[in-house]
Each structure stands twice: as C-alpha cells, then as structure tokens.
Amino acid sequence: VAQNLHGAENLSLIPGEVGASAVQNIGAYGAEVKDLITEIEAIEIKTGHLVYITNAQCEYAYRQSRFKSDWKDRFFITHVTYRLSRNFVPHLDYGNIRGALAEKGIATPTPSELRQIIIDIRNEKLPDPKVEGNAGSFFMNPIVERGQFEVLQKLYPNMPHYIIDNEHVKIPAGWMIEQCGWKGKTMGRAGVHHKQALVLVNKGGADGKEVLALCQQIQLDVQAKFGITIHPEVNIR
Ligand SMILES: Cc1cc2nc3c(=O)[nH]c(=O)nc-3n(C[C@H](O)[C@H](O)[C@H](O)COP(=O)(O)OP(=O)(O)OC[C@H]3O[C@@H](n4cnc5c(N)ncnc54)[C@H](O)[C@@H]3O)c2cc1C
C-alpha cells in the first residue's frame, strides 16, 4: 500500500465532505459517490503519516471500499476531493422520480427541483433518526446469478429486479424481507420499519444484541424462503 500512496507536497486539495460517505460509497437514486471522488487525504493512524489515496486504490463497489475491509480502522480520512460535472445530467428513471415529477407538472426539473423531490420521497419513506433510531438500509441488495433469478422469477413473477449484466441480477432485499412477513413487525425492542422493510428501527431501548438477533432471524427467513443470503450494509463490531 505504501508504494501506491503518494506524498502530500505535490497536491492541492479542494476541501470536501469528510469521512464516512467515502468509507461506504454512499449511493441513492442511481448515483454513487465513487463516481465523483477523485482523491482522499488521510492520516495513517498507526504511523501518523499523511497520505493521498486515489479512487482506484479504494476499490469501490456497491456500498463497499477497502476502508470497510482490509483497511478497516487503518486511516483517518481528513479530506475528500470530488470532481463534479458542470453539465446537469439527471437520472430520472430510478424509484418514483418520474411519478413525483408528473404529480408536480414538471417535465424538465432544475437541479434544485430534483433535489427537493428526492428529499420529499425519502422523508416520506424513511424514518427520521432523530425520532426513531435507525441506520438507514440495514441490508445490501443481493446480486445473484441469472440462472438463480430465473428459477425464482417462475415462483414469484412479480419479483422486482435490476439487470446488472448478462449474468447477474440485483434483487431488492426489502422486497424479500416484506415477503417473509417482516414489514412493520417487531422482535423485542427492535423492529422492521412499517414503510420500508430494508430499515431496522429501534422501538425504544433496544441494545445491539437485540438488533443483531432481529438481523439474524431475518437472514434465516430470507434464506429459507428464497435461498439467498442477505448481508448487512452496516458495520457490526
Ligand atoms: C435515515 C437514513 C437513510 C440512509 N440512506 C442511505 C442511502 O440512501 N444510501 C446510503 O448509501 N446510505 C444511507 N444511509 C447510511 C449512511 O450513509 C451511513 O449511515 C453513513 O455513511 C454513515 O455516516 P455516519 O457519519 O453517520 O457514520 P459513522 O458511524 O460515524 O461512520 C461510519 C463508518 O465510517 C468510519 N468513519 C467515519 N468517519 C471517518 C473518517 N473521518 N475517517 C475514517 N473512517 C471514518 C467509522 O469508523 C465507521 O466505521 C442512511 C442512513 C440513515 C440513518
């Protein structure tokens, strides 16, 4: 790694948002932060060295980076440099964006209008952590082999899915959790959000063990019904 990281002296940085977004490659509505990040400035915790890490070195993937795997707890990120496009090229085909635009009678949204529409959709579907403790999507959407998907599709013709490539298909974990009857259910003091089954919520006073027990029970049920193992998106320590 040390060979790949280069020294501070030759680079000027645009200060950007720091930290966790670059750790988990946050994404939503057809966009991922990995497509904007050019470079990361970090301090190696053990040595105190300032290092610059390129986008490619982070090995970004869906909700993944080396900061979540072999570099876990190794670096403290101090700056993230983003390169943004001057041209506005919105992704409108995700979720219910087009439906929401039609409702407001907007054909070609400005960036600000689109931002507000996505905020409104999310506020409608996701619990506010200030009101009900949660970490957003608890599980990652699994990507399965096309053959496995086709077998499942015969059993569940309405199964939502996104084609990744010729061999792989992404299936929404929230849909499978809902099919297992978990939406809005609780186990102890932890539960599954009533509007979005991908989100586990703290109903009041649940500790980590209770959330983990709920997570494991959901994993077992999804495995039993669909033969698919779903993995947490959150870090479990
Ligand atoms: C309501 C809600 C909706 C959400 N929706 C989405 C979504 O649509 N898409 C999505 O991708 N995620 C979503 N999330 C998850 C969210 O992106 C993560 O929770 C967020 O990235 C974590 O940031 P944090 O600062 O709160 O976490 P923290 O728990 O502080 O940090 C997360 C991890 O990053 C590490 N870290 C933090 N700062 C640094 C740093 N400076 N240097 C090195 N490591 C650091 C921490 O050690 C930890 O391992 C949602 C969460 C909520 C609550």
Side-chain angles (χ1 to χ4, degrees):
V1 172
Q3 281 177 342
N4 291 334
L5 307 173
H6 54 90
E9 53 288 352
N10 298 325
L11 279 152
S12 62
L13 284 175
I14 303 162
E17 190 185 309
V18 171
S21 62
V23 171
Q24 95 135 354
N25 179 24
I26 61 164
Y29 290 83
E32 281 183 302
V33 81
K34 77 170 170 56
D35 297 325
L36 307 176
I37 291 175
T38 56
E39 189 168 65
I40 285 174
E41 181 200 72
I43 292 169
E44 190 176 31
I45 294 165
K46 205 162 119 192
T47 60
H49 289 154
L50 184 68
V51 294
Y52 288 83
I53 305 170
T54 65
N55 178 308
Q57 288 166 341
C58 296
E59 294 180 9
Y60 282 121
Y62 167 60
R63 304 292 187 270
Q64 267 305 338
S65 74
R66 293 183 77 184
F67 300 109
K68 276 180 92 172
S69 55
D70 59 324
W71 287 351
K72 199 168 178 176
D73 297 329
R74 178 167 170 185
F75 296 107
F76 181 82
I77 297 170
T78 44
H79 284 90
V80 180
T81 308
Y82 299 95
R83 184 180 293 274
L84 305 176
S85 170
R86 287 182 196 278
N87 305 318
F88 177 50
V89 189
H91 302 260
L92 302 180
D93 290 319
Y94 216 84
N96 191 29
I97 294 178
R98 287 205 188 270
L101 285 171
E103 239 172 59
K104 294 201 165 188
I106 302 172
T108 323
T110 63
S112 153
E113 284 169 338
L114 184 58
R115 174 180 178 274
Q116 195 54 50
I117 278 171
I118 293 178
I119 290 172
D120 292 345
I121 295 175
R122 288 174 64 90
N123 285 346
E124 166 60 25
K125 269 190 4 192
L126 291 168
D128 179 352
K130 288 190 199 114
V131 179
E132 197 169 33
N134 77 90
S137 305
F138 195 92
F139 296 99
M140 289 190 272
N141 291 320
I143 294 171
V144 301
E145 301 278 331
R146 202 178 184 110
Q148 186 180 8
F149 164 71
E150 282 167 359
V151 172
L152 283 168
Q153 203 184 27
K154 288 206 177 89
L155 294 170
Y156 306 99
N158 299 329
M159 184 175 219
H161 59 279
Y162 305 96
I163 307 288
I164 300 291
D165 56 36
N166 275 345
E167 274 114 54
H168 298 97
V169 180
K170 185 153 89 176
I171 300 176
W175 181 84
M176 290 191 284
I177 295 167
E178 192 176 340
Q179 299 304 305
C180 292
W182 273 109
K183 197 174 186 178
K185 289 262 172 69
T186 53
M187 192 170 117
R189 292 173 293 178
V192 177
H193 187 52
H194 65 287
K195 286 189 185 162
Q196 168 54 280
L198 202 53
V199 177
L200 302 192
V201 289
N202 192 330
K203 301 304 282 184
D207 60 18
K209 283 193 191 119
E210 279 169 272
V211 177
L212 198 55
L214 174 63
C215 156
Q216 286 163 348
Q217 191 54 55
I218 291 171
Q219 284 176 309
L220 287 173
D221 289 358
V222 169
Q223 174 68 44
K225 193 171 173 72
F226 296 98
I228 293 175
T229 306
I230 53 170
H231 296 284
E233 182 179 301
V234 299
N235 272 332
I236 296 174
R237 289 175 187 266

